[in-house]
Amino acid sequence: MTGPSSLGPAGPAAAPADGLVRYRDSGVDRGAAGGLVPQLAQLARATHGPQVLGGIGGFAGCFALDAGAVGDPVLVSSTDGVGTKIKVAVAAGRHRGIGHDLVNHCINDVLTTGAAPAFFLDYFATGRLDGAVLLELVAGMTEACQAAGCALLGGETAEMPGVYGIGDYDLAGFLVGLAARADLLGPERVRPGDHLLALPSSGLHTNGYSLVRHLLARRELSYDVVLPGCDRPIGALLLEPHRSYLEAVRALRELGTVHALAHITGGGIPENLPRVIPDGCRAEVDATRVSVPALFTALAALGPVPEAEQWATVNMGVGMIAVVPPETAAAVAAAGGRLAGLQALPVGQVVAASGPDRCHLDLGGRE
Amino acid sequence: MTGPSSLGPAGPAAAPADGLVRYRDSGVDRGAAGGLVPQLAQLARATHGPQVLGGIGGFAGCFALDAGAVGDPVLVSSTDGVGTKIKVAVAAGRHRGIGHDLVNHCINDVLTTGAAPAFFLDYFATGRLDGAVLLELVAGMTEACQAAGCALLGGETAEMPGVYGIGDYDLAGFLVGLAARADLLGPERVRPGDHLLALPSSGLHTNGYSLVRHLLARRELSYDVVLPGCDRPIGALLLEPHRSYLEAVRALRELGTVHALAHITGGGIPENLPRVIPDGCRAEVDATRVSVPALFTALAALGPVPEAEQWATVNMGVGMIAVVPPETAAAVAAAGGRLAGLQALPVGQVVAASGPDRCHLDLGGRE
């Protein structure tokens, strides 16, 4: 237990004029949050189909399960944040894309099991509520949910003076999807000879932002700078929303069997691809086949960041890797390699291998 | 877009000795988080029954639904945080109870619909990862999940330098429960003549902490002070975990029909009870029947906080209100008024009423 210096949001304060203390004197304005509920509920309603029972405003959201629609149903759930990408959004005053980031990050995680998104909830916490920022974020979440046929079922708004700075906030998302047990994807389906198909990312997605902010700060560069080879200011490139692979994965599954999907997030390919490679196998990735976007090479040059370190930190232009049998890889190639508009790139194969290393990344001898 | 001063976690930094920049230089240590995964997974496994498929470490958690167990299943979901109670925990260096707070807050919200908890996920974000703190939090969540027969299905750990202070963190929880559609509780079941039964809280639960910290700071009081009428230092009282009403609600439903349940959180009885009162009805609450714990009266005296303001901010000793038909109220009384060890207190009735006011709190003419 410590002394009073650690207690109040802003230390000892003057007494109000009438000598009485009210909740808002502590930096929390319940009225401000409550006043937004009708607008937030209206946004969320646009995502509600007949499965959503009741409205926003209850203590919990209710989603009627059409259990007959899938045999032996499995609920698949993931929670994610967007990391310090929030700092870039706050600096730019652009928040809608962060709503897309949050939903799409969760969708991609749930997709890896073969599940389809069903409903989403968000947790928003800030130092002092700025209604315009929250409405932009929720508008973004609503757009991403609608695009995925997913209900925005509920959320929590917390004002936490003293934990968050005045303009700062954090955001967590939680998504539940539904799969038939017999259709679950994962490492247990993967075998030697499977092909690896890489789907392009839209940028850094939601990982590596602390590193990027550090790199820019070291060089005293602002978000307005256009780095070599880039077509837009770095701030705009950094705020590009996390891509959803829902449609691409649907298109892939229509073309053939899929064994596993790895969502390439923090830790890059070396940390995420092994999560779907079983004992006795290793993924051999030819990284020289990946056309690394200028954003990544320009950022690496700022450090410089060692090449292996960068591959092990950020996605380097690959947001999802599908592990598929040779027949599916052939069907994708025959279809021109395009999946719902995204170019699927063959980047390697699964081989039989003993030892703990589940993934080998060939950087072409560059490191 | 702003200048470099807003960019890095700590502004421009010196170049590392070898002139290269690595991810950990930006204040994020992926190795530290990764090293905890086996311990976190072991804790979570203690909560896993046969419905949990696979382990921790995939991109998403899988929970097999025994859809046959309930007819016409409805998924019920809620997300919550614990507010600035975290500040008290950080000052005290006591974190396990915060894990209970988070899980139990979510359980109580989901309970209000009549659902039983199924699985839980957490999101933890901090400025710099302290493994001991995270393990204590997850140990607390595990205990609360086990007590509720709920699986800790997954979680996210985020290091966000620059958003959170070094010792600070935030925590959000997501819970999914399952109900049979025909058994859903809520305002549509409530009718004039229903009785209101109040269940005691264990303290402030997870609301009003910014106000309390403000009150203590104004008086320059530490968490070690024992306030008038209290048997323990204020810090210990403030950290008492949020009570779960799972067992009490089960006991109540075994005694008779329940129409609705209101979880009394931020905004107190006046803001939460109306959420289960339908059009054409009003809840008449005799607040003088509530034996307000000394913690609340002592805190109010510090302000002073106007009495009506305090009732409209914190729970005042009532953590849950059940709305039940007279027969159920009689059955509870015949059983000595106790529900799984908690004393259920009759505090009023639902009456027919027109007008927008869904709740009238009689404070006995004191304000």
Short mmCIF file of all heavy atoms in Angstrom, two decimals, chain A residues 1 7 15 21 23 30 57 61 63 65 73 75 77 87 123 162 164 170 174 213 218 221 223-224 266 271 275 304 309, chain B residues 1 7 15 21 23 30 57-58 61 63 65 73 75 77 87 123 162 164 170 174 213 218 221 223-224 266 271 275 304 309:
data_model
loop_
_atom_site.label_atom_id
_atom_site.label_comp_id
_atom_site.label_asym_id
_atom_site.label_seq_id
_atom_site.Cartn_x
_atom_site.Cartn_y
_atom_site.Cartn_z
N MET A 1 0.85 -1.20 0.00
CA MET A 1 0.00 0.00 0.00
C MET A 1 0.87 1.24 0.00
O MET A 1 1.88 1.31 0.69
CB MET A 1 -0.88 0.01 1.26
CG MET A 1 -1.88 -1.13 1.30
SD MET A 1 -3.19 -0.92 0.10
CE MET A 1 -3.88 -2.57 0.09
N LEU A 7 -2.88 7.84 -5.57
CA LEU A 7 -4.32 7.57 -5.44
C LEU A 7 -5.15 8.16 -6.57
O LEU A 7 -5.66 7.45 -7.42
CB LEU A 7 -4.83 8.11 -4.10
CG LEU A 7 -4.37 7.31 -2.87
CD1 LEU A 7 -4.73 8.07 -1.62
CD2 LEU A 7 -5.02 5.94 -2.87
N ALA A 15 -12.20 21.49 -3.56
CA ALA A 15 -13.59 21.12 -3.30
C ALA A 15 -14.50 21.86 -4.27
O ALA A 15 -14.23 23.00 -4.63
CB ALA A 15 -13.95 21.47 -1.86
N VAL A 21 -19.15 16.26 -3.42
CA VAL A 21 -18.38 15.60 -4.48
C VAL A 21 -19.31 14.71 -5.29
O VAL A 21 -20.11 13.96 -4.73
CB VAL A 21 -17.23 14.76 -3.88
CG1 VAL A 21 -16.47 14.06 -4.99
CG2 VAL A 21 -16.29 15.65 -3.08
N TYR A 23 -19.69 12.11 -8.99
CA TYR A 23 -18.89 11.15 -9.75
C TYR A 23 -18.09 11.85 -10.84
O TYR A 23 -16.92 11.55 -11.07
CB TYR A 23 -19.81 10.09 -10.34
CG TYR A 23 -19.13 8.82 -10.80
CD1 TYR A 23 -17.93 8.37 -10.25
CD2 TYR A 23 -19.71 8.03 -11.79
CE1 TYR A 23 -17.33 7.19 -10.67
CE2 TYR A 23 -19.13 6.84 -12.21
CZ TYR A 23 -17.93 6.43 -11.65
OH TYR A 23 -17.35 5.26 -12.08
N ARG A 30 -20.65 9.60 -16.66
CA ARG A 30 -21.53 8.53 -17.10
C ARG A 30 -22.55 9.03 -18.12
O ARG A 30 -22.98 8.29 -19.00
CB ARG A 30 -22.25 7.88 -15.92
CG ARG A 30 -21.33 7.04 -15.04
CD ARG A 30 -22.14 6.20 -14.06
NE ARG A 30 -23.06 5.32 -14.78
CZ ARG A 30 -22.68 4.18 -15.34
NH1 ARG A 30 -21.44 3.80 -15.27
NH2 ARG A 30 -23.56 3.43 -15.96
N GLY A 57 -28.35 -2.96 -24.92
CA GLY A 57 -28.85 -2.31 -23.72
C GLY A 57 -29.10 -3.29 -22.59
O GLY A 57 -29.18 -2.91 -21.44
N GLY A 61 -25.55 -9.96 -24.73
CA GLY A 61 -26.17 -10.12 -26.04
C GLY A 61 -26.59 -11.56 -26.26
O GLY A 61 -25.94 -12.49 -25.77
N PHE A 63 -27.71 -14.57 -29.05
CA PHE A 63 -27.56 -14.98 -30.44
C PHE A 63 -28.12 -16.39 -30.58
O PHE A 63 -27.56 -17.35 -30.03
CB PHE A 63 -26.08 -14.95 -30.83
CG PHE A 63 -25.80 -15.19 -32.28
CD1 PHE A 63 -25.76 -14.13 -33.19
CD2 PHE A 63 -25.57 -16.47 -32.76
CE1 PHE A 63 -25.48 -14.35 -34.53
CE2 PHE A 63 -25.30 -16.70 -34.10
CZ PHE A 63 -25.26 -15.64 -34.99
N LEU A 65 -28.75 -19.87 -31.97
CA LEU A 65 -27.89 -20.72 -32.76
C LEU A 65 -28.75 -21.60 -33.65
O LEU A 65 -29.65 -22.28 -33.18
CB LEU A 65 -27.08 -21.59 -31.81
CG LEU A 65 -25.81 -22.19 -32.35
CD1 LEU A 65 -24.83 -21.11 -32.72
CD2 LEU A 65 -25.22 -23.10 -31.28
N PRO A 73 -21.87 -29.05 -33.94
CA PRO A 73 -21.29 -27.70 -34.01
C PRO A 73 -20.17 -27.45 -33.00
O PRO A 73 -20.22 -27.93 -31.87
CB PRO A 73 -22.48 -26.79 -33.71
CG PRO A 73 -23.42 -27.64 -32.94
CD PRO A 73 -23.24 -29.04 -33.42
N LEU A 75 -17.98 -24.16 -31.42
CA LEU A 75 -17.81 -22.71 -31.33
C LEU A 75 -16.32 -22.41 -31.35
O LEU A 75 -15.54 -23.06 -30.65
CB LEU A 75 -18.43 -22.18 -30.03
CG LEU A 75 -19.92 -22.45 -29.86
CD1 LEU A 75 -20.38 -21.96 -28.49
CD2 LEU A 75 -20.70 -21.77 -30.97
N SER A 77 -13.46 -19.32 -30.99
CA SER A 77 -13.42 -17.97 -30.44
C SER A 77 -11.99 -17.43 -30.38
O SER A 77 -11.05 -18.17 -30.12
CB SER A 77 -14.04 -17.98 -29.05
OG SER A 77 -14.21 -16.66 -28.61
N LYS A 87 -1.71 4.37 -31.61
CA LYS A 87 -0.93 5.61 -31.47
C LYS A 87 -0.86 6.36 -32.81
O LYS A 87 -0.88 7.59 -32.84
CB LYS A 87 0.48 5.28 -31.00
CG LYS A 87 0.58 4.99 -29.51
CD LYS A 87 0.41 6.29 -28.73
CE LYS A 87 0.86 6.16 -27.30
NZ LYS A 87 0.56 7.40 -26.54
N TYR A 123 -14.45 -4.17 -26.60
CA TYR A 123 -14.17 -3.49 -25.33
C TYR A 123 -13.36 -2.25 -25.67
O TYR A 123 -12.31 -2.35 -26.32
CB TYR A 123 -13.37 -4.42 -24.41
CG TYR A 123 -12.80 -3.74 -23.18
CD1 TYR A 123 -13.58 -3.59 -22.03
CD2 TYR A 123 -11.50 -3.27 -23.15
CE1 TYR A 123 -13.06 -2.96 -20.90
CE2 TYR A 123 -10.98 -2.64 -22.02
CZ TYR A 123 -11.76 -2.50 -20.90
OH TYR A 123 -11.25 -1.89 -19.78
N GLY A 162 -6.33 8.15 -15.55
CA GLY A 162 -5.16 7.71 -14.78
C GLY A 162 -4.53 6.46 -15.35
O GLY A 162 -3.36 6.20 -15.14
N TYR A 164 -5.30 5.57 -18.83
CA TYR A 164 -5.07 6.03 -20.19
C TYR A 164 -4.88 7.55 -20.20
O TYR A 164 -5.55 8.26 -19.43
CB TYR A 164 -6.25 5.68 -21.10
CG TYR A 164 -6.48 4.19 -21.22
CD1 TYR A 164 -7.36 3.53 -20.39
CD2 TYR A 164 -5.78 3.45 -22.16
CE1 TYR A 164 -7.56 2.15 -20.49
CE2 TYR A 164 -5.96 2.08 -22.28
CZ TYR A 164 -6.85 1.44 -21.44
OH TYR A 164 -7.03 0.09 -21.55
N ASP A 170 -7.60 2.14 -25.70
CA ASP A 170 -7.28 0.79 -26.15
C ASP A 170 -8.59 0.12 -26.52
O ASP A 170 -9.68 0.57 -26.16
CB ASP A 170 -6.54 -0.02 -25.08
CG ASP A 170 -5.84 -1.25 -25.68
OD1 ASP A 170 -5.81 -1.40 -26.92
OD2 ASP A 170 -5.32 -2.08 -24.91
N PHE A 174 -13.55 -9.49 -29.71
CA PHE A 174 -13.82 -10.86 -29.34
C PHE A 174 -14.82 -11.39 -30.35
O PHE A 174 -15.87 -10.79 -30.56
CB PHE A 174 -14.38 -10.84 -27.93
CG PHE A 174 -15.02 -12.10 -27.46
CD1 PHE A 174 -14.25 -13.19 -27.11
CD2 PHE A 174 -16.39 -12.18 -27.34
CE1 PHE A 174 -14.85 -14.34 -26.66
CE2 PHE A 174 -16.99 -13.33 -26.89
CZ PHE A 174 -16.21 -14.42 -26.55
N ARG A 213 7.40 2.86 -34.88
CA ARG A 213 7.41 4.16 -34.20
C ARG A 213 8.80 4.45 -33.65
O ARG A 213 9.28 5.59 -33.69
CB ARG A 213 6.35 4.20 -33.10
CG ARG A 213 4.92 4.25 -33.67
CD ARG A 213 3.85 3.94 -32.63
NE ARG A 213 3.99 4.78 -31.46
CZ ARG A 213 4.14 4.32 -30.22
NH1 ARG A 213 4.14 3.02 -29.98
NH2 ARG A 213 4.26 5.15 -29.22
N ARG A 218 13.78 7.51 -33.99
CA ARG A 218 15.25 7.57 -34.02
C ARG A 218 15.74 8.52 -35.11
O ARG A 218 16.75 9.19 -34.95
CB ARG A 218 15.85 6.18 -34.28
CG ARG A 218 15.83 5.26 -33.09
CD ARG A 218 16.49 3.92 -33.46
NE ARG A 218 17.93 4.01 -33.47
CZ ARG A 218 18.71 3.65 -34.48
NH1 ARG A 218 18.16 3.21 -35.60
NH2 ARG A 218 20.02 3.76 -34.41
N LEU A 221 11.67 11.40 -37.91
CA LEU A 221 10.81 11.52 -39.08
C LEU A 221 9.35 11.61 -38.65
O LEU A 221 8.94 10.95 -37.68
CB LEU A 221 10.98 10.30 -39.99
CG LEU A 221 12.36 10.11 -40.63
CD1 LEU A 221 12.44 8.77 -41.35
CD2 LEU A 221 12.65 11.26 -41.59
N TYR A 223 5.07 11.33 -39.60
CA TYR A 223 4.22 10.42 -40.37
C TYR A 223 3.95 10.95 -41.79
O TYR A 223 3.36 10.27 -42.61
CB TYR A 223 2.89 10.17 -39.66
CG TYR A 223 3.02 9.35 -38.39
CD1 TYR A 223 2.52 9.82 -37.18
CD2 TYR A 223 3.62 8.09 -38.41
CE1 TYR A 223 2.62 9.08 -36.02
CE2 TYR A 223 3.73 7.34 -37.25
CZ TYR A 223 3.22 7.83 -36.05
OH TYR A 223 3.33 7.09 -34.91
N ASP A 224 4.37 12.20 -42.06
CA ASP A 224 4.14 12.78 -43.38
C ASP A 224 5.21 12.38 -44.39
O ASP A 224 5.05 12.60 -45.59
CB ASP A 224 4.12 14.33 -43.28
CG ASP A 224 2.93 14.82 -42.49
OD1 ASP A 224 1.85 14.20 -42.62
OD2 ASP A 224 3.07 15.79 -41.73
N GLY A 266 2.01 -11.02 -35.36
CA GLY A 266 3.26 -10.72 -34.68
C GLY A 266 4.15 -11.96 -34.62
O GLY A 266 3.69 -13.04 -34.26
N GLU A 271 7.13 -17.49 -36.73
CA GLU A 271 6.45 -17.80 -35.48
C GLU A 271 5.03 -18.32 -35.69
O GLU A 271 4.51 -19.06 -34.86
CB GLU A 271 6.42 -16.57 -34.58
CG GLU A 271 6.18 -16.90 -33.11
CD GLU A 271 6.49 -15.72 -32.20
OE1 GLU A 271 7.62 -15.20 -32.24
OE2 GLU A 271 5.58 -15.32 -31.47
N ARG A 275 2.72 -23.04 -36.13
CA ARG A 275 1.56 -23.38 -35.30
C ARG A 275 0.61 -24.35 -36.01
O ARG A 275 -0.26 -24.93 -35.37
CB ARG A 275 0.82 -22.09 -34.90
CG ARG A 275 1.69 -21.20 -34.02
CD ARG A 275 1.19 -19.77 -33.96
NE ARG A 275 0.08 -19.59 -33.05
CZ ARG A 275 -0.45 -18.41 -32.75
NH1 ARG A 275 0.04 -17.31 -33.29
NH2 ARG A 275 -1.46 -18.32 -31.93
N PRO A 304 19.42 0.24 -39.56
CA PRO A 304 18.83 -0.89 -40.26
C PRO A 304 18.41 -2.01 -39.29
O PRO A 304 19.00 -2.18 -38.24
CB PRO A 304 19.96 -1.36 -41.17
CG PRO A 304 21.21 -0.93 -40.48
CD PRO A 304 20.87 0.33 -39.74
N GLU A 309 15.57 -10.66 -38.52
CA GLU A 309 14.79 -10.07 -37.43
C GLU A 309 13.47 -9.49 -37.97
O GLU A 309 12.42 -9.64 -37.36
CB GLU A 309 15.60 -8.94 -36.77
CG GLU A 309 14.85 -8.08 -35.76
CD GLU A 309 14.87 -8.65 -34.35
OE1 GLU A 309 15.57 -9.66 -34.13
OE2 GLU A 309 14.18 -8.08 -33.48
N MET B 1 -1.59 14.51 -38.86
CA MET B 1 -0.23 13.98 -38.69
C MET B 1 0.60 14.97 -37.87
O MET B 1 0.55 16.18 -38.09
CB MET B 1 0.43 13.80 -40.06
CG MET B 1 -0.24 12.76 -40.91
SD MET B 1 0.02 11.10 -40.26
CE MET B 1 -1.25 10.21 -41.14
N LEU B 7 5.88 10.29 -31.75
CA LEU B 7 6.08 9.02 -32.43
C LEU B 7 6.50 7.88 -31.51
O LEU B 7 5.76 6.95 -31.27
CB LEU B 7 7.16 9.19 -33.52
CG LEU B 7 6.74 10.00 -34.74
CD1 LEU B 7 7.93 10.25 -35.63
CD2 LEU B 7 5.68 9.24 -35.51
N ALA B 15 21.49 4.71 -30.82
CA ALA B 15 21.64 3.51 -31.64
C ALA B 15 22.25 2.39 -30.79
O ALA B 15 23.09 2.65 -29.93
CB ALA B 15 22.53 3.81 -32.83
N VAL B 21 18.88 -2.26 -35.36
CA VAL B 21 17.73 -2.10 -34.48
C VAL B 21 16.94 -3.40 -34.44
O VAL B 21 16.68 -4.01 -35.49
CB VAL B 21 16.83 -0.95 -34.96
CG1 VAL B 21 15.62 -0.81 -34.06
CG2 VAL B 21 17.61 0.36 -35.00
N TYR B 23 13.53 -5.63 -32.48
CA TYR B 23 12.18 -5.36 -31.98
C TYR B 23 12.21 -4.98 -30.50
O TYR B 23 11.52 -4.07 -30.06
CB TYR B 23 11.31 -6.59 -32.19
CG TYR B 23 9.81 -6.35 -32.11
CD1 TYR B 23 9.25 -5.10 -32.37
CD2 TYR B 23 8.95 -7.39 -31.79
CE1 TYR B 23 7.87 -4.90 -32.31
CE2 TYR B 23 7.58 -7.21 -31.73
CZ TYR B 23 7.04 -5.96 -31.98
OH TYR B 23 5.68 -5.79 -31.91
N ARG B 30 9.09 -9.98 -27.29
CA ARG B 30 8.23 -11.12 -27.64
C ARG B 30 8.66 -12.38 -26.91
O ARG B 30 7.85 -13.23 -26.59
CB ARG B 30 8.25 -11.36 -29.15
CG ARG B 30 7.51 -10.29 -29.94
CD ARG B 30 7.30 -10.74 -31.38
NE ARG B 30 6.55 -11.97 -31.43
CZ ARG B 30 5.24 -12.05 -31.31
NH1 ARG B 30 4.53 -10.97 -31.14
NH2 ARG B 30 4.63 -13.22 -31.37
N GLY B 57 -2.60 -22.16 -27.90
CA GLY B 57 -1.47 -22.02 -28.83
C GLY B 57 -1.94 -21.92 -30.27
O GLY B 57 -1.21 -21.48 -31.13
N GLY B 58 -3.16 -22.35 -30.53
CA GLY B 58 -3.73 -22.17 -31.86
C GLY B 58 -4.11 -20.70 -32.04
O GLY B 58 -3.92 -19.88 -31.15
N GLY B 61 -9.66 -20.58 -30.01
CA GLY B 61 -10.06 -21.69 -29.16
C GLY B 61 -11.31 -22.37 -29.70
O GLY B 61 -12.17 -21.71 -30.28
N PHE B 63 -14.59 -24.93 -28.89
CA PHE B 63 -15.44 -25.44 -27.83
C PHE B 63 -16.60 -26.21 -28.48
O PHE B 63 -17.45 -25.61 -29.15
CB PHE B 63 -15.97 -24.26 -27.00
CG PHE B 63 -16.74 -24.64 -25.78
CD1 PHE B 63 -16.09 -24.83 -24.55
CD2 PHE B 63 -18.12 -24.81 -25.83
CE1 PHE B 63 -16.80 -25.17 -23.40
CE2 PHE B 63 -18.83 -25.14 -24.68
CZ PHE B 63 -18.17 -25.33 -23.47
N LEU B 65 -19.99 -27.83 -28.91
CA LEU B 65 -21.27 -27.50 -28.30
C LEU B 65 -22.10 -28.76 -28.18
O LEU B 65 -22.30 -29.48 -29.16
CB LEU B 65 -21.98 -26.50 -29.21
CG LEU B 65 -23.07 -25.68 -28.60
CD1 LEU B 65 -22.49 -24.78 -27.52
CD2 LEU B 65 -23.71 -24.84 -29.68
N PRO B 73 -30.91 -23.78 -28.76
CA PRO B 73 -29.88 -23.09 -27.97
C PRO B 73 -29.66 -21.64 -28.36
O PRO B 73 -29.71 -21.28 -29.54
CB PRO B 73 -28.62 -23.92 -28.23
CG PRO B 73 -28.86 -24.59 -29.54
CD PRO B 73 -30.34 -24.82 -29.63
N LEU B 75 -26.80 -18.54 -27.67
CA LEU B 75 -25.51 -18.14 -27.11
C LEU B 75 -25.69 -16.76 -26.48
O LEU B 75 -26.29 -15.88 -27.09
CB LEU B 75 -24.45 -18.08 -28.20
CG LEU B 75 -24.20 -19.40 -28.93
CD1 LEU B 75 -23.18 -19.19 -30.04
CD2 LEU B 75 -23.73 -20.47 -27.96
N SER B 77 -23.59 -13.61 -24.62
CA SER B 77 -22.21 -13.14 -24.50
C SER B 77 -22.12 -11.76 -23.89
O SER B 77 -22.97 -10.91 -24.11
CB SER B 77 -21.56 -13.14 -25.89
OG SER B 77 -20.18 -12.92 -25.77
N LYS B 87 -5.91 0.18 -10.59
CA LYS B 87 -4.98 1.11 -9.95
C LYS B 87 -4.76 0.74 -8.48
O LYS B 87 -3.66 0.89 -7.95
CB LYS B 87 -5.54 2.54 -10.04
CG LYS B 87 -5.34 3.18 -11.40
CD LYS B 87 -3.89 3.58 -11.55
CE LYS B 87 -3.66 4.53 -12.70
NZ LYS B 87 -2.21 4.75 -12.92
N TYR B 123 -8.26 -10.51 -22.48
CA TYR B 123 -7.32 -9.63 -23.18
C TYR B 123 -6.56 -8.85 -22.13
O TYR B 123 -7.17 -8.19 -21.28
CB TYR B 123 -8.09 -8.67 -24.10
CG TYR B 123 -7.26 -7.56 -24.69
CD1 TYR B 123 -6.54 -7.77 -25.85
CD2 TYR B 123 -7.20 -6.31 -24.09
CE1 TYR B 123 -5.76 -6.74 -26.40
CE2 TYR B 123 -6.44 -5.28 -24.63
CZ TYR B 123 -5.72 -5.51 -25.78
OH TYR B 123 -4.96 -4.50 -26.33
N GLY B 162 4.00 3.13 -24.25
CA GLY B 162 3.52 4.44 -24.71
C GLY B 162 2.02 4.59 -24.54
O GLY B 162 1.52 5.71 -24.45
N TYR B 164 0.32 2.34 -22.17
CA TYR B 164 0.22 2.07 -20.74
C TYR B 164 1.52 2.45 -20.06
O TYR B 164 2.60 2.27 -20.64
CB TYR B 164 -0.04 0.57 -20.50
CG TYR B 164 -1.36 0.11 -21.07
CD1 TYR B 164 -1.43 -0.44 -22.34
CD2 TYR B 164 -2.52 0.23 -20.33
CE1 TYR B 164 -2.63 -0.86 -22.87
CE2 TYR B 164 -3.74 -0.20 -20.86
CZ TYR B 164 -3.79 -0.73 -22.13
OH TYR B 164 -4.98 -1.14 -22.64
N ASP B 170 -4.31 -3.06 -18.46
CA ASP B 170 -5.77 -3.15 -18.52
C ASP B 170 -6.12 -4.58 -18.90
O ASP B 170 -5.26 -5.34 -19.39
CB ASP B 170 -6.37 -2.15 -19.51
CG ASP B 170 -7.87 -1.94 -19.27
OD1 ASP B 170 -8.40 -2.45 -18.26
OD2 ASP B 170 -8.52 -1.27 -20.10
N PHE B 174 -14.25 -11.74 -21.87
CA PHE B 174 -15.37 -12.07 -22.76
C PHE B 174 -15.88 -13.43 -22.34
O PHE B 174 -15.11 -14.38 -22.24
CB PHE B 174 -14.89 -12.16 -24.21
CG PHE B 174 -14.30 -10.91 -24.75
CD1 PHE B 174 -12.94 -10.71 -24.72
CD2 PHE B 174 -15.09 -9.92 -25.28
CE1 PHE B 174 -12.37 -9.55 -25.23
CE2 PHE B 174 -14.54 -8.75 -25.79
CZ PHE B 174 -13.18 -8.57 -25.76
N ARG B 213 -10.98 6.84 -5.47
CA ARG B 213 -9.60 7.32 -5.51
C ARG B 213 -9.57 8.85 -5.41
O ARG B 213 -8.69 9.42 -4.76
CB ARG B 213 -8.91 6.82 -6.78
CG ARG B 213 -8.64 5.31 -6.73
CD ARG B 213 -8.27 4.74 -8.10
NE ARG B 213 -7.17 5.45 -8.70
CZ ARG B 213 -7.19 6.00 -9.91
NH1 ARG B 213 -8.28 5.92 -10.67
NH2 ARG B 213 -6.17 6.64 -10.36
N ARG B 218 -8.39 13.62 -2.26
CA ARG B 218 -8.77 14.95 -1.74
C ARG B 218 -8.41 15.09 -0.27
O ARG B 218 -8.06 16.16 0.21
CB ARG B 218 -10.28 15.19 -1.89
CG ARG B 218 -10.74 15.52 -3.30
CD ARG B 218 -12.24 15.78 -3.31
NE ARG B 218 -12.58 17.09 -2.77
CZ ARG B 218 -13.45 17.31 -1.82
NH1 ARG B 218 -14.06 16.30 -1.22
NH2 ARG B 218 -13.70 18.54 -1.40
N LEU B 221 -5.53 10.69 1.99
CA LEU B 221 -5.55 9.44 2.76
C LEU B 221 -4.89 8.32 1.96
O LEU B 221 -5.05 8.27 0.75
CB LEU B 221 -7.00 9.04 3.08
CG LEU B 221 -7.79 9.99 3.99
CD1 LEU B 221 -9.25 9.57 4.07
CD2 LEU B 221 -7.15 10.04 5.38
N TYR B 223 -4.20 4.04 1.28
CA TYR B 223 -5.03 2.83 1.30
C TYR B 223 -4.92 2.08 2.63
O TYR B 223 -5.62 1.11 2.86
CB TYR B 223 -4.62 1.89 0.15
CG TYR B 223 -4.99 2.40 -1.22
CD1 TYR B 223 -4.03 2.53 -2.22
CD2 TYR B 223 -6.31 2.74 -1.53
CE1 TYR B 223 -4.36 2.98 -3.49
CE2 TYR B 223 -6.64 3.20 -2.79
CZ TYR B 223 -5.67 3.32 -3.77
OH TYR B 223 -6.01 3.76 -5.02
N ASP B 224 -4.01 2.54 3.51
CA ASP B 224 -3.84 1.87 4.81
C ASP B 224 -4.84 2.36 5.84
O ASP B 224 -4.97 1.77 6.92
CB ASP B 224 -2.42 2.11 5.34
CG ASP B 224 -1.37 1.43 4.48
OD1 ASP B 224 -1.65 0.31 4.00
OD2 ASP B 224 -0.29 2.02 4.29
N GLY B 266 -22.08 -0.24 -12.47
CA GLY B 266 -21.98 1.22 -12.53
C GLY B 266 -23.32 1.86 -12.79
O GLY B 266 -24.05 1.45 -13.68
N GLU B 271 -29.86 2.87 -12.29
CA GLU B 271 -29.54 2.73 -13.70
C GLU B 271 -29.66 1.29 -14.19
O GLU B 271 -29.90 1.06 -15.38
CB GLU B 271 -28.12 3.26 -13.97
CG GLU B 271 -27.87 3.58 -15.43
CD GLU B 271 -26.61 4.41 -15.63
OE1 GLU B 271 -26.49 5.50 -15.01
OE2 GLU B 271 -25.74 3.96 -16.38
N ARG B 275 -33.36 -1.67 -16.48
CA ARG B 275 -33.06 -2.42 -17.70
C ARG B 275 -33.88 -3.71 -17.80
O ARG B 275 -33.96 -4.31 -18.88
CB ARG B 275 -31.56 -2.74 -17.76
CG ARG B 275 -30.73 -1.47 -17.89
CD ARG B 275 -29.27 -1.67 -17.50
NE ARG B 275 -28.49 -2.28 -18.56
CZ ARG B 275 -27.18 -2.46 -18.51
NH1 ARG B 275 -26.50 -2.08 -17.43
NH2 ARG B 275 -26.53 -3.00 -19.51
N PRO B 304 -18.38 15.35 1.36
CA PRO B 304 -19.46 14.37 1.30
C PRO B 304 -20.02 14.22 -0.11
O PRO B 304 -20.02 15.17 -0.89
CB PRO B 304 -20.51 14.96 2.25
CG PRO B 304 -20.26 16.43 2.24
CD PRO B 304 -18.78 16.60 2.03
N GLU B 309 -26.73 10.72 -5.23
CA GLU B 309 -25.62 10.55 -6.17
C GLU B 309 -24.90 9.23 -5.91
O GLU B 309 -24.52 8.51 -6.84
CB GLU B 309 -24.64 11.72 -6.02
CG GLU B 309 -23.33 11.59 -6.77
CD GLU B 309 -23.39 12.12 -8.20
OE1 GLU B 309 -24.43 12.69 -8.57
OE2 GLU B 309 -22.41 11.94 -8.94
#
